[in-house]
Amino acid sequence: MQATAYTYDAETRSGSVLLDDGTPVPFDAPAFDAGGLRLLRPGQRVRIETEGATGAAGGLRITLVTLQTF
């Protein structure tokens, strides 16, 4: 799935992305670390892997954040 980086805190290595429909979804340090990134800037296009679903009781959880490559 693709998204756009929205926020990122380098100290906690966590932040949030915006899905293409504008829905913000947070990610935590393990999801950021799984992607092997060193830094993320707001506005960057990213690829995410998730578990759960939007609207589900547990909600959508990001398990990996990495840069979108073509």
Side-chain angles (χ1 to χ4, degrees):
M1 177 184 302
Q2 296 180 23
T4 302
Y6 185 52
T7 64
Y8 175 68
D9 181 340
E11 287 189 29
T12 63
R13 297 182 328 282
S14 62
S16 63
V17 301
L18 291 177
L19 302 181
D20 289 343
D21 68 0
T23 303
V25 181
F27 64 86
D28 54 15
F32 182 78
D33 293 343
L37 299 176
R38 294 178 16 191
L39 179 65
L40 191 61
R41 291 185 304 255
Q44 282 183 301
R45 197 69 175 155
V46 295
R47 184 177 67 83
I48 58 173
E49 291 183 10
T50 62
E51 45 184 51
T54 54
L60 190 66
R61 185 173 98 69
I62 297 176
T63 59
L64 175 124
V65 178
T66 191
L67 291 181
Q68 177 65 35
T69 58
F70 299 98

